[in-house]
Amino acid sequence: DAGVTQSPTHLIKTRGQQVTLRCSPKSGHDTVSWYQQALGQGPQFIFQYYEEEERQRGNFPDRFSGHQFPNYSSELNVNALLLGDSALYLCASRNGKIGYTFGSGTRLTVV
Amino acid sequence: AQSVTQLDSQVPVFEEAPVELRCNYSSSVSVYLFWYVQYPNQGLQLLLKYLSGSTLVKGINGFEAEFNKSQTSFHLRKPSVHISDTAEYFCAVIDTNAGKSTFGDGTTLTVKP
């Protein structure tokens, strides 16, 4: 049973560019959340998608946007990249109230 | 609003010794509580969760945690640690209604031989 799959695993972008990260949830999961984890810190909640709509959002600017598709997969888009956007981006999925299953993350480096 | 405080940023301990990783939280709404473990260059793995019922929760790899509502704490314990338990541990709360989650800054557990 495949867990949460994220792509790509690593990415290097230049300041000002745009990036799209992808996530396939665990089979049977319908809710997807995205997190940003800076080095040495805990994951920070970006937003949550359910039924193709953004349901909850953390304290992130509008440069961060997302999408959920009918097959429950999701994308995270970040525009006008800043050096401070360098982090591990984690996708997590769940069905119901049981704890999230996390993917291994995408390591984004902005230079 | 909710917040999570992990009281120890680093916990060094010798192999086969007991360990406790401390977590306090605050929230204006009802929450569920979780502990996750993160190994280097990996995502987070669920160790255990408290949703309701018995306040003593048992998880994987011999870990357990006790929910204390009056002290708003959810400390993680293991009676005898192994070298392989060396990792980063995160405490998290999730709003039972909205599903918004908040993580602590993590505790680095280092098990020495």
Side-chain angles (χ1 to χ4, degrees):
Chain A
D1 178 25
V4 178
T5 306
Q6 292 187 243
S7 63
T9 55
H10 296 82
L11 199 55
I12 299 176
K13 289 286 190 178
T14 304
R15 275 182 301 174
Q17 284 189 316
Q18 180 264 345
V19 68
T20 297
L21 310 182
R22 294 177 176 81
C23 172
S24 293
K26 183 176 180 179
S27 178
H29 287 188
D30 58 8
T31 303
V32 173
S33 289
W34 286 91
Y35 297 81
Q36 179 194 67
Q37 185 179 20
L39 202 60
Q41 296 183 22
Q44 299 293 313
F45 175 72
I46 302 175
F47 41 53
Q48 177 192 95
Y49 276 85
Y50 173 69
E51 293 186 336
E52 302 179 50
E53 291 189 10
E54 183 181 294
R55 300 291 180 167
Q56 292 290 330
R57 190 178 182 92
N59 296 323
F60 279 81
D62 292 343
R63 297 187 299 109
F64 289 77
S65 64
H67 190 77
Q68 186 179 34
F69 300 94
N71 67 352
Y72 308 121
S73 66
S74 177
E75 289 182 348
L76 164 65
N77 301 294
V78 186
N79 295 322
L81 284 167
L82 304 173
L83 295 179
D85 295 331
S86 294
L88 179 68
Y89 288 85
L90 295 165
C91 172
S93 70
R94 67 179 172 94
N95 186 338
K97 296 178 179 178
I98 300 175
Y100 278 102
T101 299
F102 280 81
S104 297
T106 294
R107 174 73 62 186
L108 172 65
T109 303
V110 182
V111 298
Chain B
Q2 54 198 34
S3 66
V4 175
T5 302
Q6 292 185 238
L7 299 169
D8 307 291
S9 59
Q10 298 193 34
V11 174
V13 64
F14 287 105
E15 192 174 17
E16 297 183 4
V19 70
E20 178 180 78
L21 306 184
R22 297 180 294 166
C23 173
N24 288 349
Y25 71 95
S26 68
S27 178
S28 56
V29 297
S30 179
V31 295
Y32 299 128
L33 298 145
F34 301 83
W35 275 98
Y36 287 88
V37 60
Q38 186 175 35
Y39 299 101
N41 300 314
Q42 293 188 27
L44 278 70
Q45 180 183 4
L46 179 66
L47 276 177
L48 47 78
K49 59 185 180 290
Y50 174 79
L51 305 181
S52 65
S54 173
T55 57
L56 183 62
V57 180
K58 294 189 183 297
I60 63 171
N61 301 340
F63 284 94
E64 63 180 32
E66 186 158 17
F67 170 57
N68 188 318
K69 188 174 183 179
S70 62
Q71 297 186 6
T72 59
S73 68
F74 191 53
H75 300 333
L76 181 71
R77 302 185 184 100
K78 186 169 182 178
S80 176
V81 294
H82 303 292
I83 298 290
S84 59
D85 292 324
T86 295
E88 190 80 11
Y89 291 79
F90 293 96
C91 180
V93 300
I94 294 178
D95 177 340
T96 59
N97 290 322
K100 186 175 179 180
S101 56
T102 302
F103 282 76
D105 286 334
T107 296
T108 303
L109 174 63
T110 303
V111 181
K112 306 175 182 179

